[in-house]
Amino acid sequence: MEPKKYLRFLALLLVTFLLIVFIFNRDSDLPSSRSFHSVNKAAVELKLQPRPRKIVSQVSDVAHHPLDPLTIQEINRVRVIVSSHALFKGAKYHALHSVVLEEPPKARVLKWKEGDPVFPRKASVIARVDGETHVLSVDLGSGRVQKVDVGELSGYPTMTIEDMNTATFTPLVSKEFNRTVVERGVDLKDLACLPISLGWYGKKEEKKRLIKVQCYSMEDTANFYMRPIEGLTVIVDMDTNEVVEISDNGKDIPIPNALDTDYRFLAQKNLHKIKPMNPISIEQPKGPSFNIENRHMVKWANWEFHLKPDPRAGVIISQAKFRDPDTRELRNVMYKGMTSELFVPYMDPTDAWYFKTYMDAGEYGFGLQAMPLVPLNDCPRNAYYMDGVFAAGDGKPYVRSNMVCVFERYAGDIGWRHSECPITGMEIREARPKVTLVVRMAASVANYDYIVDWEFQTDGLINIKVGLSGILMVKGTPYTNTNQIPNQEDLYGTLLSENVIGVIHDHYITFYLDMDIDGSDNSFVKVNLQRQQTAPGESPRSSYLKATKSVAKTEKDAQIKLKLYDPYEFHMVNPNKKTRVGNPVGYKVVPAGTAASLLDLDDPPQKRGAFTNNQIWVTPYNRSEEWAGGLFVYQSKGEDTLAAWSERDRDIENKDIVLWYTLGFHHIPCQEDFPIMPTVSSSFSLKPVNFFEKNPILGISPNFEKDLPVCQASSSTS
Ligand SMILES: *[C@@H]1O[C@H](CO)[C@@H](O)[C@H](O)[C@H]1NC(C)=O
Ligand SMILES: *[C@@H]1O[C@H](CO)[C@@H](O)[C@H](O)[C@H]1NC(C)=O
């Protein structure tokens, strides 16, 4: 490639995928770069743990907690140990697809106390060596490498960043591809290509690690996603970097216009039409109320938890505990919570679209795709930013700066309130402001952006929210107006702009929630609300609702599909611990707006995404069952999913159990989603239910005028 063209390509990849070289260089070669660090972050860090420039402490960082992620030094050590291992010596090629902490056994972590030595640190490594996948357990102390037997599993590990980058270049080795692109009127220098996981549909995907590459025109826009070269699909072998097949079924479909596709601030010429608003920000005159100790322990109000970035899950919350306001005792709530898998099937069965059924965590790495958060916009002032330290395919560590933020939210909401009306003669006006703590990350999986919030409340509730934004994956069409579409024709979506269809799709985000309510042995209780009829003459009322509890004995009792007209509450309780008046202490999972997959259960993508067949599942705790779509999701056939594990129907009563919840969205695109989508969110909660003896936030103080700053604002009346 000519240098100029090569640069264009590099620029494109920067936009599309995380270019390690770039990230790594920025953090290690330019240690003084603080471009993403707000002054406030620096202040918080200095107050909590005075330390020199970030990169210095990052490199010399050591683990303080058994669950702390691997440090830069530890990742370097893994590379050294592994590369001298017999498996790798003499190999034609090898790549490390995952290098993460091998968490010590739960029983040992539970016994660990602050100040105790961290256990012998181990790394869990997933490597591809000459076409074979290996799972290795690497002891960082002794240097011992153990092969882990994971049985016979279909599928491949999460792609490396290098896999994705290389795949987007590979089509260019083909003359036929170049010719097709030029024939479609696209200059090769304007080409932008995406690596698209292809699922599993049968023979064609057998025994080869493949990817489909589709391309767009970058001419005249930064938003190349709106300019698809429709119907052109290149199958690339990721192990040999060869073009396997080119299919081009879109020759008659024009490439949509670049007009109005740019979403960047500086490109908006119509800005004056939106009435500008006054600046708004939350002030914390005394700084935030949370502490982050030893990089990963978050302490705020009555909550304490361990927080770490993870290449696959995004963020992992561990050992979430709540200090009981009555007893001052620190009580266990959740041992581990994380995004386990995503499933995003598109609803278009045609050649260039049927395979688009992404599993973003297991295929692309939900954490690997998380970009640095933008201070003051992604997270408010006074946010604390946490970096991710990950390993590239060659085993070298790199830093994803500002990947996670932690901040206190005050959105003007009410924690609780009551006022007495004058009839009672009492002048009671009691109200408490609601302040919460948010842990946030945002993954940009190519075009789509997922914002994941873990929000902790002072009343013990945890709200888990997923926001969807970013750019639609669109389809080119000859139509420029709905009046041209023949009656019978299924567009598979909505015409959003001239020659652009937003294809209907679903999003499922499945959460792994290892609840430990006051200890590990818990039960799952279904509380069913049912209409009861009164006997004739018994009451002026003919009907009322009654709550009936049943304890789920085995996994199949806990496969739950939500139903509006047959309502249930779902409690995780500790049957061994009761409140003063005898209720078992518990937490309930509270679903909110959600969606269920309607695909055939034996449709190949739904088999792989079978963990979405129910909204709730409960499984016995098993270290090897954390990834709902299986350990190796890429091109898997779906034999290692949560659905398969749950079919074993193991006992789950009064045992260490794990709750799984899937949050879903159906997305029928509309014109407002063009050229970029306003955020759409949904959430679910984990809410205390008889966990406390009484309202745990009676002790919150009201706001008083004297404690709050009055910023000098220009008068709003002038
Ligand atoms: C295809 O085009 C690219 C970009 O101009 C060029 O680098 C590459 O060599 C071409 N491939 C072939 C086989 O000609
Ligand atoms: C733990 O999970 C693995 C992987 O699914 C499975 O092979 C094993 O049988 C499970 N163990 C138990 C006790 O269920």
Side-chain angles (χ1 to χ4, degrees):
M1 246 188 273
E2 288 169 25
K4 223 174 126 190
K5 286 180 186 169
Y6 183 73
L7 280 178
R8 286 294 295 260
F9 251 96
L10 220 58
L12 141 72
L13 285 171
L14 284 175
V15 178
T16 319
F17 285 104
L18 10 154
L19 244 197
I20 288 170
V21 184
F22 170 73
I23 304 297
F24 193 58
N25 281 349
R26 200 184 55 222
D27 281 284
S28 52
D29 296 351
L30 307 170
S32 61
S33 160
R34 303 194 65 98
S35 54
F36 284 98
H37 290 225
S38 68
V39 175
N40 286 288
K41 174 186 178 183
V44 173
E45 284 180 342
L46 284 178
K47 200 176 75 194
L48 298 173
Q49 39 177 143
R51 54 194 177 94
R53 284 188 320 203
K54 181 173 102 178
I55 189 63
V56 176
S57 60
Q58 196 75 266
V59 166
S60 59
D61 194 20
V62 292
H64 291 93
H65 187 283
L67 298 176
D68 278 357
L70 294 179
T71 63
I72 285 184
Q73 286 182 11
E74 287 173 330
I75 292 175
N76 276 325
R77 177 145 169 75
V78 170
R79 191 179 76 246
V80 171
I81 294 172
V82 161
S83 59
S84 63
H85 189 265
L87 198 58
F88 291 76
K89 278 192 173 160
K92 279 208 274 310
Y93 79 83
H94 57 79
L96 304 188
H97 288 247
S98 173
V99 179
V100 292
L101 175 78
E102 180 181 313
E103 291 190 356
K106 182 169 172 180
R108 294 188 64 182
V109 177
L110 287 173
K111 284 200 200 103
W112 184 89
K113 287 192 191 55
E114 229 167 294
D116 289 354
V118 291
F119 307 117
R121 299 267 290 170
K122 287 188 178 179
S124 172
V125 174
I126 301 178
R128 295 263 307 154
V129 184
D130 289 344
E132 296 285 329
T133 303
H134 301 275
V135 180
L136 306 171
S137 168
V138 178
D139 189 312
L140 289 162
S142 67
R144 218 169 93 90
V145 177
Q146 258 183 302
K147 278 208 205 184
V148 180
D149 182 12
V150 294
E152 283 287 303
L153 298 175
S154 68
Y156 300 105
T158 308
M159 288 182 277
T160 62
I161 303 299
E162 294 83 349
D163 282 336
M164 301 181 224
N165 284 345
T166 308
T168 60
F169 283 108
T170 304
L172 293 164
V173 303
S174 157
K175 270 206 186 81
E176 184 192 343
F177 173 79
N178 281 15
R179 195 179 55 238
T180 306
V181 169
V182 172
E183 274 170 17
R184 297 285 289 268
V186 177
D187 199 319
L188 286 163
K189 75 175 185 343
D190 292 324
L191 202 61
C193 298
L194 293 182
I196 301 176
S197 56
L198 45 55
W200 187 85
Y201 294 88
K203 269 208 211 93
K204 225 172 156 179
E205 288 83 26
E206 206 78 77
K207 298 206 165 69
K208 275 186 178 161
R209 202 165 64 96
L210 302 173
I211 191 149
K212 290 191 174 175
V213 180
Q214 294 188 333
C215 303
Y216 300 78
S217 168
M218 288 197 297
E219 193 186 3
D220 299 331
T221 183
N223 191 354
F224 58 87
Y225 300 104
M226 291 300 128
R227 307 203 64 202
I229 305 174
E230 191 54 51
L232 176 61
T233 309
V234 184
I235 305 183
V236 168
D237 185 319
M238 282 194 282
D239 284 334
T240 62
N241 296 329
E242 284 166 345
V243 170
V244 175
E245 191 185 301
I246 300 177
S247 96
D248 184 10
N249 299 321
K251 289 199 172 87
D252 303 332
I253 302 174
I255 291 165
N257 210 294
L259 190 71
D260 288 340
T261 56
D262 202 332
Y263 49 85
R264 293 171 302 173
F265 185 66
L266 290 174
Q268 306 310 312
K269 296 174 193 85
N270 300 333
L271 272 184
H272 61 278
K273 289 183 187 160
I274 297 174
K275 189 174 176 229
M277 291 180 294
N278 293 333
I280 187 165
S281 175
I282 307 304
E283 299 306 324
Q284 295 185 280
K286 294 182 184 168
S289 314
F290 62 86
N291 276 333
I292 300 196
E293 293 171 5
N294 291 329
R295 286 182 174 281
H296 297 286
M297 279 306 299
V298 182
K299 299 189 176 176
W300 173 79
N302 283 2
W303 281 106
E304 281 193 32
F305 56 89
H306 184 274
L307 167 65
K308 66 175 161 192
D310 181 79
R312 182 163 179 173
V315 298
I316 298 178
I317 308 274
S318 298
Q319 295 200 286
K321 298 176 187 175
F322 194 92
R323 192 169 297 282
D324 192 304
D326 285 333
T327 62
R328 306 307 301 152
E329 171 202 4
L330 200 52
R331 300 173 63 187
N332 289 313
V333 174
M334 183 175 75
Y335 181 71
K336 186 171 183 177
M338 63 176 187
T339 309
S340 175
E341 192 51 270
L342 290 90
F343 177 47
V344 188
Y346 280 72
M347 302 302 164
D348 180 338
T350 60
D351 177 66
W353 279 80
Y354 74 91
F355 54 88
K356 294 180 185 176
T357 54
Y358 305 95
M359 291 165 81
D360 291 321
E363 292 177 341
Y364 291 87
F366 203 47
L368 294 181
Q369 309 295 340
M371 295 291 127
L373 294 157
V374 184
L376 296 185
N377 293 285
D378 274 331
C379 315
R381 185 158 273 156
N382 277 334
Y384 172 93
Y385 293 88
M386 187 180 283
D387 298 341
V389 175
F390 301 143
D394 61 4
K396 288 199 178 124
Y398 66 96
V399 176
R400 170 57 37 81
S401 59
N402 293 9
M403 177 188 152
V404 181
C405 73
V406 182
F407 61 90
E408 280 170 297
R409 172 188 277 155
Y410 173 56
D413 288 335
I414 301 167
W416 61 262
R417 79 174 314 282
H418 182 64
S419 291
E420 275 302 329
C421 73
I423 315 172
T424 62
M426 289 193 279
E427 267 291 323
I428 294 180
R429 302 276 182 272
E430 291 278 341
R432 302 290 183 273
K434 179 168 172 173
V435 178
T436 61
L437 184 81
V438 177
V439 172
R440 173 171 296 166
M441 66 153 264
S444 305
V445 193
N447 52 313
Y448 239 99
D449 291 61
Y450 292 90
I451 306 153
V452 179
D453 284 0
W454 289 79
E455 183 175 21
F456 294 82
Q457 296 190 176
T458 52
D459 61 3
L461 183 143
I462 306 173
N463 189 245
I464 298 144
K465 183 160 95 175
V466 178
L468 310 178
S469 187
I471 301 167
L472 283 174
M473 176 150 273
V474 302
K475 179 175 180 172
T477 173
Y479 304 123
T480 56
N481 192 292
T482 56
N483 63 18
Q484 301 160 352
I485 306 166
N487 242 346
Q488 300 304 316
E489 186 170 326
D490 190 350
L491 274 198
Y492 310 113
T494 312
L495 193 65
L496 299 180
S497 174
E498 287 76 9
N499 308 112
V500 176
I501 294 170
V503 175
I504 296 170
H505 58 278
D506 287 349
H507 298 265
Y508 298 99
I509 304 98
T510 297
F511 287 88
Y512 171 97
L513 304 156
D514 180 4
M515 306 301 288
D516 274 12
I517 311 295
D518 273 328
S520 291
D521 288 345
N522 290 174
S523 291
F524 182 69
V525 180
K526 299 185 279 187
V527 184
N528 188 205
L529 269 182
Q530 271 179 332
R531 186 177 58 235
Q532 305 290 308
Q533 309 296 147
T534 56
E538 184 189 342
S539 164
R541 289 273 299 274
S542 67
S543 64
Y544 65 101
L545 301 190
K546 179 183 173 188
T548 310
K549 293 183 181 178
S550 62
V551 178
K553 305 274 184 219
T554 65
E555 289 177 286
K556 284 188 185 172
D557 295 336
Q559 299 177 348
I560 308 290
K561 291 182 170 67
L562 299 176
K563 295 178 217 136
L564 195 55
Y565 280 90
D566 186 14
Y568 279 85
E569 281 195 359
F570 304 101
H571 297 192
M572 288 291 267
V573 303
N574 185 333
N576 315 301
K577 186 168 177 209
K578 304 258 162 69
T579 60
R580 194 180 72 247
V581 297
N583 293 308
V585 296
Y587 258 69
K588 61 178 174 181
V589 55
V590 188
T594 191
S597 182
L598 305 176
L599 296 175
D600 285 344
L601 292 182
D602 54 4
D603 194 358
Q606 189 62 38
K607 268 163 110 171
R608 304 177 60 233
F611 52 90
T612 62
N613 291 355
N614 295 299
Q615 286 74 58
I616 295 173
W617 315 71
V618 177
T619 56
Y621 173 83
N622 179 334
R623 294 180 77 174
S624 314
E625 295 177 352
E626 289 197 325
W627 306 110
L631 180 62
F632 303 138
V633 167
Y634 201 93
Q635 274 174 255
S636 67
K637 298 177 187 173
E639 77 284 20
D640 183 31
T641 67
L642 170 57
W645 312 332
S646 172
E647 276 307 299
R648 294 185 195 137
D649 208 20
R650 295 162 288 189
D651 289 341
I652 54 170
E653 188 182 0
N654 201 3
K655 285 205 152 36
D656 190 0
I657 50 180
V658 175
L659 173 71
W660 304 78
Y661 184 79
T662 295
L663 182 60
F665 299 81
H666 294 303
H667 190 170
I668 305 174
C670 60
Q671 283 190 249
E672 289 80 0
D673 295 334
F674 179 92
I676 193 161
M677 296 173 284
T679 306
V680 169
S681 309
S682 193
S683 65
F684 69 98
S685 301
L686 300 167
K687 184 179 188 299
V689 56
N690 305 319
F691 185 75
F692 299 111
E693 294 291 347
K694 59 177 185 290
N695 178 345
I697 50 169
L698 286 178
I700 295 193
S701 130
N703 275 343
F704 294 105
E705 193 67 42
K706 68 175 171 45
D707 298 327
L708 297 174
V710 179
C711 299
Q712 201 58 50
S714 53
S715 169
S716 57
T717 52
S718 62

